Amino acid sequence: MSVHEPSFIVGADVEVPVPAAGEVWTVGAVILDRDGAAFAQKRSADRRLFPGTWDIVGGHVEAGETLLEALAREVEEETGWRLRRVRRFLGTTTWTGDDGGGIRHEADYLIEVDGDLDAPALEWTEHSAHGWFGRDDLGRLKENLGPGEFLIHDLIARAVEALPDTP
């Protein structure tokens, strides 16, 4: 249990899974801009896991962290933005990477951030590009993927398509 007071708001109905001992967990963040487009970053071609593919902000939960602490840390590390609000739990996925690291459980969230959305401070050693994806260009998220490898596309599509047509 964390002794730190979070610097972000968590919606009252947001589910936060509790990892079991020995499980490997990751977290992911779908970040939307004012127009309802979702942020994604392209993984560098030399990455061990999923090279050259589009990904949401996120990463592994470190020892002693809660899922939401890891989410806040990863958002800041990968973009320079600060987690402001966890709006909705998007679900849990269990997956096995192509790196031999075994089974991972991933908790994904729709979040709001503070910071300049036009100028993310990307980790250029890990990512080669970034973009905003609306309803009309979700297909780009399938670049460099084979059939059935559309986890990120499907996750972002669910978040974007659930929004009303007008703000």
Side-chain angles (χ1 to χ4, degrees):
M1 187 103 187
S2 174
V3 295
H4 299 95
E5 195 64 30
S7 59
F8 51 86
I9 299 166
V10 180
D13 58 343
V14 172
E15 180 182 336
V16 181
V18 178
E23 289 181 333
V24 176
W25 278 77
T26 62
V27 291
V30 175
I31 302 166
L32 302 179
D33 68 8
R34 290 167 213 68
D35 298 324
F39 180 79
Q41 46 198 354
K42 193 170 227 179
R43 296 173 66 86
S44 298
D46 60 353
R47 296 288 300 274
R48 188 172 46 144
L49 275 174
F50 313 115
T53 62
W54 289 100
D55 200 1
I56 58 175
V57 173
H60 285 88
V61 177
E62 296 178 356
E65 279 185 320
T66 67
L67 296 180
L68 296 183
E69 288 169 340
L71 187 68
R73 176 184 51 76
E74 289 289 349
V75 167
E76 191 162 357
E77 284 178 1
E78 293 190 9
T79 66
W81 301 328
R82 295 185 62 81
L83 177 59
R84 177 177 11 124
R85 180 174 164 225
V86 181
R87 287 178 53 180
R88 191 172 68 205
F89 176 61
L90 297 173
T92 301
T93 305
T94 300
W95 55 275
T96 303
D98 53 3
D99 64 345
I103 295 174
R104 294 167 177 91
H105 306 276
E106 181 169 329
D108 294 309
Y109 294 90
L110 179 63
I111 68 167
E112 296 173 8
V113 297
D114 287 323
D116 183 353
L117 297 183
D118 293 326
L122 296 185
E123 294 179 296
W124 290 109
T125 58
E126 296 188 11
H127 301 98
S128 60
H130 71 280
W132 292 93
F133 296 81
R135 287 183 175 110
D136 295 336
D137 55 358
L138 292 174
R140 285 182 31 220
L141 294 167
K142 295 180 179 180
E143 290 175 3
N144 301 322
L145 294 172
E149 297 178 337
F150 302 144
L151 171 67
I152 298 303
H153 169 274
D154 296 349
L155 181 66
I156 288 177
R158 280 197 329 264
V160 169
E161 292 169 0
L163 298 173
D165 286 331
T166 57

